[in-house]
């Protein structure tokens, strides 16, 4: 349904493509060769698309009084003395995982147990700071 723009034509008309994406809210599908395609979408629209990808950590009080937060969406668990400390540690771990994913996307996107993490990771990549990441947690 989206009009495809060949890569060479896209280079020549980047301003027009950008204006359509920005001002008209129309995503642009740019194609190179037979199978290489990229989609350009406004950042705010991409954030809207990903809004459903939130983190719902399970809060597990431990016998020693500490708190474990288990985040099934990314397979991460942390433990700390208090809930507040556990939240801060979880945010740090999410950030570390997202940074690792960015360094080695081909590894993660080809791992069956990690590929489904991508929309969550993209949501984290769009965060400006750790406070934004923390705001993704539904506690």
């Amino acid at each position: 349904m989206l009009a495809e723009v060949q890569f060479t034509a896209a280079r020549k008309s980047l301003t027009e493509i950008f204006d359509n994406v920005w001002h008209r809210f129309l995503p642009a599908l740019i194609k190179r060769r037979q199978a290489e395609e990229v989609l350009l979408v406004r950042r705010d629209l991409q954030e809207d698309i990903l809004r459903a990808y939130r983190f719902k950590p399970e809060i597990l009080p431990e016998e020693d009084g500490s708190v474990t937060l288990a985040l099934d969406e990314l397979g991460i668990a942390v433990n700390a003395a208090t809930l507040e400390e556990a939240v801060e540690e979880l945010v740090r771990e999410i950030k570390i995982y997202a940074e690792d994913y960015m360094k080695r996307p081909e590894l993660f996107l080809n791992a069956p147990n990690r590929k489904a993490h991508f929309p969550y990771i993209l949501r984290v990549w769009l965060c400006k700071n750790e406070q934004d990441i923390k705001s993704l947690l539904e506690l």
Side-chain angles (χ1 to χ4, degrees):
M1 302 260 317
L2 281 177
E4 294 179 0
V5 179
Q6 291 300 317
F7 184 77
T8 302
R11 284 192 316 209
K12 294 176 183 173
S13 60
L14 184 58
T15 299
E16 179 184 346
I17 291 169
F18 191 94
D19 286 345
N20 281 332
V21 170
W22 181 254
H23 297 291
R24 296 187 62 218
F25 299 89
L26 293 174
L29 186 63
I30 299 174
K31 187 171 185 171
R32 183 172 67 179
R33 298 189 185 92
Q34 291 298 320
E36 296 177 7
E37 296 178 334
V38 295
L39 181 65
L40 300 177
V41 180
R42 283 176 59 126
R43 179 189 181 118
D44 56 338
L45 293 180
Q46 184 61 56
E47 289 171 347
D48 287 344
I49 291 166
L50 295 171
R51 197 163 313 283
Y53 292 91
R54 297 189 52 84
F55 298 118
K56 299 170 185 139
E58 185 176 359
I59 302 170
L60 305 164
E62 303 292 350
E63 289 181 14
D64 65 359
S66 67
V67 178
T68 297
L69 294 179
L71 188 61
D72 289 341
E73 293 88 351
L74 297 179
I76 296 173
V78 299
N79 179 270
T82 67
L83 177 60
E84 294 76 23
E85 291 173 7
V87 167
E88 295 303 320
E89 182 63 26
L90 183 59
V91 168
R92 279 191 292 277
E93 289 298 319
I94 291 170
K95 184 178 177 184
I96 289 168
Y97 182 56
E99 289 168 348
D100 192 25
Y101 209 111
M102 187 177 282
K103 290 176 188 169
R104 305 177 300 158
E106 60 284 337
L107 172 70
F108 290 103
L109 290 170
N110 286 306
N113 63 332
R114 301 289 181 174
K115 184 175 183 173
H117 296 178
F118 183 74
Y120 294 98
I121 294 301
L122 182 54
R123 182 96 195 266
V124 172
W125 288 345
L126 291 171
C127 290
K128 294 177 180 74
N129 53 45
E130 289 185 2
Q131 186 59 40
D132 282 356
I133 297 170
K134 188 175 182 178
S135 73
L136 300 178
L137 300 177
E138 292 183 357
L139 296 169

